[in-house]
Amino acid sequence: MRVAARALFGLQARLRWVHLVLGGALLMPFWLVGTVVVGPLTDTGKTFATSLVVQFGAYAVALPLAAIVGLLPLARPLSVGITRALTGVPAELFADEPAHSRAARLRTSAWFTLHAGVGALVSGASLALPPFAVTLIVAPLSRSVQDFLHVPWSMRPFDQVLLLPITGIGMLLALAAFSAAAGALLARHAPVLLGPTPADRLAAAEQRAAELGERNRLARELHDSVGHALSAVTLQAGAARRVLDSDVEFVREALAAIEETTRRTVGELDAVLGLLRQDGEGADRAAGPTLDTLDGLLSRSGVRVALRTEGDPASVPAYVSREAYRIVQEGLSNALRHAGAVPVSLWIAVRGEELEITMENPLPDQAPVVRPGGGRGLRGITERAALLGGRAAAGPQDAVWRLSALLPLGGGR
């Protein structure tokens, strides 16, 4: 008994009844148009006649009009907002975006028509039945009410007291049951008609993949920038400590290099964090250092670098130049981590539609331990090259460690 009462009159049932009444309100403008169309065609010839023929004729005209409006892209966000708040359906089952695909618009149109059509029936019954039911309940108490209802004089008082109130109460219960059943029907179909279509799910997956790719790109930016700075600063500080008492001038130069390295790294860190604060697709892919600023990187890298160029690196597109800068930076960091302050040879060549980067450094007999961690740099280089449609490789060759990368100038666009 308690379960039945909760199903008919509980909070969820009441909220779903409000949802249905709102559906009836949505149909009202279309119903008024239907009365203008149907009324003059009936025997009465009146636009706003009260006959059932006019009422249901207007209802039949209103439903197709509601279906047409339901095809509009913004109908889905409107319907989802109302349905999520009042039907008790979990929010994650709905699609909030406007419906642009054909399948999504057809589903939304079906929902809009179902909501408005069923809601109009519940609204009409909610307006008409309760007053009549209350009249039946109080009829045994008033002869004038009985006359209004045309109760036969032959009906015995006992029958009036028993049958009329029971009929009225039964009508109210039937209305509550009808409303609860209609609300449950709409709640069951809401995720099907207002949920994401396969195209919506694909778009959401693509958006998540793009967001993940952007997060990975920013992680690489932080790894390459901060990791290189830590490697260089650690090496320079260690060298300065070893000659602290014997070569003051070298210590002074090392401290100046450390200061310059940390200052530049803080600036790059601010730039990367600024990308995180931007909205939308947000980050300009050309943001960050490029090959134009390569001299500063080489001068504070902590190793001797012999640079040779071919072609004009300044002609490289900014987004490719930025990735090339990070590849060189990670190559220097890798040399510092695993070989120490060894000389590095760097070739940068622009040939046709490709940018070629080659770095070499001798392999030491025993690699010094500069700092713990690492292990993601070479993988990051490979990922950067692959995102541009290029390739990268690294490994020992003839007593040297060689890093090579080939980047198409039009890659990644």
Side-chain angles (χ1 to χ4, degrees):
M1 190 69 178
R2 184 177 301 175
V3 174
R6 185 183 302 112
L8 295 180
F9 305 107
L11 177 61
Q12 187 175 78
R14 296 196 301 270
L15 290 176
R16 288 178 176 177
W17 176 81
V18 173
H19 180 251
L20 291 165
V21 171
L22 289 176
L26 290 174
L27 191 71
M28 182 60 66
F30 310 111
W31 180 83
L32 292 174
V33 173
T35 59
V36 173
V37 173
V38 174
L41 301 179
T42 61
D43 296 336
T44 61
K46 296 180 180 179
T47 300
F48 297 104
T50 58
S51 67
L52 291 179
V53 175
V54 174
Q55 302 297 319
F56 283 99
Y59 179 80
V61 172
L63 292 180
L65 297 178
I68 294 173
V69 173
L71 294 172
L72 297 176
L74 292 178
R76 184 165 72 175
L78 172 64
S79 298
V80 166
I82 298 173
T83 306
R84 178 189 288 123
L86 297 174
T87 59
V89 178
E92 62 272 13
L93 299 181
F94 294 105
D96 294 298
E97 299 79 11
H100 293 295
S101 66
R102 181 173 181 271
R105 290 198 302 270
L106 289 175
R107 290 185 182 187
T108 305
S109 175
W111 168 263
F112 194 84
T113 306
L114 178 65
H115 181 205
V118 176
L121 296 177
V122 172
S123 299
S126 298
L127 288 174
L129 287 183
F132 184 67
V134 171
T135 302
L136 290 178
I137 293 172
V138 301
L141 305 177
S142 173
R143 189 63 208 181
S144 59
V145 174
Q146 296 174 20
D147 293 339
F148 173 77
L149 294 175
H150 302 288
V151 176
W153 285 91
S154 59
M155 180 178 288
R156 293 177 298 176
F158 176 79
D159 295 333
Q160 296 178 20
V161 173
L162 182 63
L163 295 179
L164 295 180
I166 290 178
T167 302
I169 293 173
M171 294 175 65
L172 293 177
L173 292 176
L175 174 61
F178 174 60
S179 176
L185 173 69
L186 265 65
R188 185 168 60 252
H189 287 83
V192 177
L193 300 177
L194 294 179
T197 63
D200 294 327
R201 294 188 180 94
L202 178 60
E206 291 175 346
Q207 182 178 358
R208 286 193 297 270
E211 292 173 352
L212 181 60
E214 184 66 13
R215 289 175 57 189
N216 289 337
R217 186 181 77 83
L218 294 177
R220 287 194 301 270
E221 293 288 329
L222 289 173
H223 173 273
D224 293 350
S225 178
V226 178
H228 171 77
L230 291 176
S231 296
V233 166
T234 303
L235 181 67
Q236 291 162 343
R241 179 180 54 82
R242 287 191 295 268
V243 299
L244 180 61
D245 298 326
S246 60
D247 193 343
V248 177
E249 185 61 29
F250 179 84
V251 173
R252 184 179 292 109
E253 292 177 358
L255 291 176
I258 290 174
E259 180 183 4
E260 177 64 18
T261 298
T262 53
R263 181 184 297 112
R264 288 178 177 270
T265 303
V266 168
E268 293 179 8
L269 182 60
D270 287 341
V272 174
L273 294 178
L275 300 183
L276 290 172
R277 289 190 292 266
Q278 294 185 14
D279 297 327
E281 286 191 15
D284 180 4
R285 298 181 61 186
T290 63
L291 292 177
D292 295 337
T293 61
L294 192 60
D295 290 341
L297 172 65
L298 300 182
S299 65
R300 66 180 190 277
S301 63
V303 298
R304 297 187 306 276
V305 182
L307 173 63
R308 188 174 65 190
T309 62
E310 180 181 334
D312 183 14
S315 65
V316 176
Y319 64 95
V320 178
S321 183
R322 179 177 61 80
E323 300 298 335
Y325 178 97
R326 293 303 188 190
I327 290 174
V328 172
Q329 185 181 55
E330 181 55 36
L332 294 174
S333 297
N334 187 68
L336 281 171
R337 281 194 296 267
H338 301 290
V342 297
V344 176
S345 299
L346 172 61
W347 293 274
I348 297 178
V350 181
R351 298 192 180 102
E353 296 300 319
E354 292 181 326
L355 172 66
E356 183 178 353
I357 301 171
T358 304
M359 300 181 67
E360 291 182 354
N361 61 269
L363 291 171
D365 295 334
Q366 183 176 1
V369 179
V370 178
R371 67 175 179 88
R376 300 182 180 87
L378 295 179
R379 184 174 63 186
I381 290 175
T382 303
E383 291 175 353
R384 288 182 183 278
L387 288 173
L388 293 176
R391 59 185 184 274
Q397 294 185 12
D398 300 329
V400 300
W401 180 272
R402 173 173 293 177
L403 167 65
S404 61
L406 193 64
L407 309 177
L409 299 185
R413 288 290 187 179

